[in-house]
Amino acid sequence: MNDKPALSNLAAIDAAHHLHPFSDMKKLNAAGTRIIERAEGVHIYDSTGKRYLDAFAGLWCVNVGYGRREIAEAASRQMQELPYYNSFFGTTTPPTTLLAQKIASHTDGKLNRVFFTNSGSEASDTWFRMARVYWKVLGKPEKTLVIARRNAYHGSTVAGASLGGMKWMHEQGNLPIEGIHHIGQPYWYAEGGDLSPAEFGLKVARELEEKIDELGEDRVAAFVAEPIQGAGGVIIPPETYWPEIARICKARNILLVSDEVICGFGRLGTWFGHQHYGFEPDLAPIAKGLSSGYLPIGGVLMSDRVAEVMVEELGDFYHGFTYSGHPVCAAAALENIRIIEEEGLVERVRDDIGPYFAAGLKSLEDHPMVGEVQSVGLIGAVQLAADKKTRERFKDGERAGVEVRNHCLTNGLVLRATGDRMLYSPPLIVTRAEVDEMIDTTRKGLDHGWKVMGE
Ligand code: PXG
């Protein structure tokens, strides 16, 4: 990192040797990549020294903010004491086991066991196998099908991308794999038509029931969804949605899987997203905020119902990763959770900064380019619209989003544009003044966007 000649040439080296995730490399190489060199609190700094307020917490993950020396020190201590050992052959390491206990302690006694992975994608592949194994052990080997949602994101591995509902991802690699079916998403603004949000929430939830009928209840293993869809555009479901989904899963005896990779660890003002919506999942993949992104670690939480089968009845589960429960990642995650607890970040999001953020975002609804804003805790979206009265969207919504986002970026604010929705997911430590700055800069971006889109 101190190799200055190489650093000055880093963009060219990157263009020559690095294939970035989810990137059109020809376009990226022509535009040049931005090099992020350091970060502190909610701010990141690029190689020109420019500072940005990171309203996206890296990639929905740096919940405790950047520059937490305690996490670096915990990882360093663990690395010196025991840099690696596996948990395959009747062994474990102290941080691995203590982390399992710590995570369980935040699930209201409902999800008491965890299988560790290195990422959310691996967590998707893991619960997918678990759900099928579960029913096989219970004497129902034909219960193998999984229902997921269009425009969901569950990762990039083969099962993860198949479970996800992104058509353009499926087109690469002949996905989805067999046995995965998709239903609609609770995106009222775009798809609700003349229904009220409450009516629409019930309608899309009942698509699950229809799909179960179509496939046959005795063939369906599980339904998976994010409490709030993240990468799909921060799609916040109407309040009627989750109770109906939970009712259907229970009535039809299929496992309910809550993908907590983004919603977990305080983002919604609760430890996990399902707690905000008041339902009880059977399986819950986690990652991101588990370590605030300081080191890669994920996992799958299990209800007692599932754990009972996995522990008491299955025998060997032939599944695992070299780095499952990696002691250094576990030590970092433990320290991350200690910080969240000690600073009361979950309560802060629920009672203080979350409501403040919601009010700030709401103030943008008077802008002509804004159709609707929505948020829960510290995740939010600004829906752009060409005509806010009729909910008409821009013909080139992609461009509208990019124009607003790029203007914000120039003015030192990092946020995401997914099509015509502007997305926010700041670190949970963001201050009121920083929220004000996020809103002010967004408003300027909207002014710019409205002008260039010429509506
Ligand atoms: N589930 C959810 C809900 C996610 O958001 C994953 C699973 C997969 O996690 P890993 O750790 O394998 O990436 C994710 C990841 C985006 C974007 O463009 C979102 C994610 C990853 C990359 C890009 O918003 N989320």
Side-chain angles (χ1 to χ4, degrees):
M1 280 309 282
N2 291 325
D3 184 354
K4 284 296 174 193
L7 256 184
S8 65
N9 200 23
L10 213 53
I13 297 171
D14 194 77
H17 296 293
H18 186 190
L19 192 79
H20 289 229
F22 280 89
S23 302
D24 178 332
M25 285 314 297
K26 208 192 272 184
K27 276 193 193 152
L28 178 58
N29 288 346
T33 181
R34 266 182 317 126
I35 299 157
I36 306 303
E37 281 190 347
R38 62 192 179 89
E40 187 68 34
V42 299
H43 293 105
I44 58 173
Y45 296 81
D46 73 14
S47 54
T48 69
K50 185 174 162 97
R51 185 175 96 147
Y52 305 83
L53 199 171
D54 180 11
F56 212 65
L59 197 47
W60 322 85
C61 57
V62 188
N63 288 12
V64 298
Y66 298 96
R68 296 289 195 154
R69 272 157 203 79
E70 312 95 295
I71 300 182
E73 281 158 13
S76 167
R77 272 196 307 276
Q78 183 58 44
M79 202 174 266
Q80 292 174 63
E81 198 166 303
L82 179 70
Y84 174 76
Y85 204 73
N86 69 70
S87 36
F88 277 53
F89 309 114
T91 52
T92 187
T93 76
T96 311
T97 295
L98 292 175
L99 180 61
Q101 178 195 41
K102 175 57 78 181
I103 297 168
S105 77
H106 290 295
T107 66
D108 308 318
K110 306 285 189 202
L111 304 164
N112 289 310
R113 199 167 283 271
V114 59
F115 184 99
F116 286 114
T117 69
N118 306 289
S119 68
S121 296
E122 288 179 0
S124 286
D125 282 55
T126 297
W127 75 251
F128 183 75
R129 292 190 70 195
M130 275 183 182
R132 289 177 163 186
V133 163
Y134 172 84
W135 289 115
K136 190 171 176 198
V137 168
L138 291 183
K140 297 186 173 169
E142 66 291 349
K143 255 171 114 63
T144 58
L145 306 180
V146 173
I147 302 173
R149 305 186 301 186
R150 290 191 281 280
N151 197 35
Y153 190 82
H154 300 295
S156 280
T157 47
V158 169
S162 295
L163 291 163
M166 312 283 186
K167 249 216 218 113
W168 37 274
M169 285 180 74
H170 294 163
E171 279 162 14
Q172 297 182 331
N174 294 34
L175 303 177
I177 51 172
E178 230 177 284
I180 294 175
H181 299 262
H182 293 88
I183 59 171
Q185 57 173 335
Y187 184 8
W188 173 79
Y189 196 88
E191 299 170 8
D194 293 334
L195 297 179
S196 70
E199 291 166 341
F200 180 69
L202 283 179
K203 177 174 174 276
V204 277
R206 286 178 188 153
E207 282 185 31
L208 175 59
E209 202 153 41
E210 288 155 24
K211 186 57 90 177
I212 295 169
D213 285 340
E214 177 193 322
L215 299 169
E217 187 175 318
D218 50 358
R219 295 178 64 221
V220 179
F223 169 70
V224 62
E226 304 149 77
I228 291 174
Q229 279 154 274
V234 182
I235 310 299
I236 298 181
E239 289 298 326
T240 50
Y241 182 78
W242 273 112
E244 185 65 1
I245 289 286
R247 181 194 69 75
I248 294 167
C249 289
K250 202 166 194 174
R252 301 313 196 92
N253 201 21
I254 67 170
L255 298 175
L256 174 52
V257 185
S258 179
D259 186 333
E260 298 280 352
V261 169
I262 286 178
C263 294
F265 300 95
R267 176 73 38 214
L268 308 193
T270 46
W271 276 91
F272 296 98
H274 65 266
Q275 293 164 333
H276 172 81
Y277 285 108
F279 67 93
E280 292 180 14
D282 298 295
L283 290 159
I286 54 173
K288 294 192 189 277
L290 168 57
S291 64
S292 283
Y294 277 62
L295 281 171
I297 183 165
V300 177
L301 307 184
M302 280 154 266
S303 65
D304 293 346
R305 167 192 181 184
V306 174
E308 168 84 13
V309 168
M310 299 303 294
V311 173
E312 301 297 335
E313 299 185 42
L314 171 64
D316 276 36
F317 182 34
Y318 301 113
H319 184 84
F321 307 104
T322 301
Y323 303 126
S324 283
H326 193 289
V328 179
C329 304
L334 268 173
E335 187 61 17
N336 170 62
I337 296 175
R338 192 195 63 74
I339 291 171
I340 298 176
E341 289 172 349
E342 187 178 289
E343 299 183 6
L345 293 181
V346 177
E347 298 75 19
R348 176 175 193 268
V349 171
R350 186 188 64 207
D351 300 331
D352 176 26
I353 198 69
Y356 188 80
F357 169 67
L361 214 56
K362 203 79 186 158
S363 73
L364 295 172
E365 270 189 349
D366 66 4
H367 195 282
M369 197 181 192
V370 174
E372 173 183 68
V373 308
Q374 287 175 297
S375 69
V376 174
L378 279 181
I379 189 168
V382 170
Q383 171 72 56
L384 306 181
D387 184 341
K388 63 199 298 161
K389 281 197 204 72
T390 60
R391 268 162 58 204
E392 187 191 328
R393 296 163 76 191
F394 288 100
K395 282 183 196 72
D396 191 350
E398 198 79 30
R399 181 173 162 234
V402 167
E403 287 289 352
V404 177
R405 183 200 64 201
N406 288 352
H407 194 273
C408 290
L409 202 58
T410 304
N411 285 317
L413 175 69
V414 175
L415 45 66
R416 268 284 297 280
T418 292
D420 58 0
R421 284 172 80 81
M422 314 308 301
L423 314 184
Y424 303 78
S425 168
L428 311 186
I429 54 155
V430 69
T431 65
R432 289 182 172 220
E434 287 157 352
V435 167
D436 292 345
E437 184 186 330
M438 278 162 48
I439 305 301
D440 289 349
T441 308
T442 303
R443 187 174 280 281
K444 291 191 187 99
L446 291 165
D447 290 344
H448 163 82
W450 188 241
K451 203 164 74 198
V452 299
M453 292 306 288
E455 311 272 345

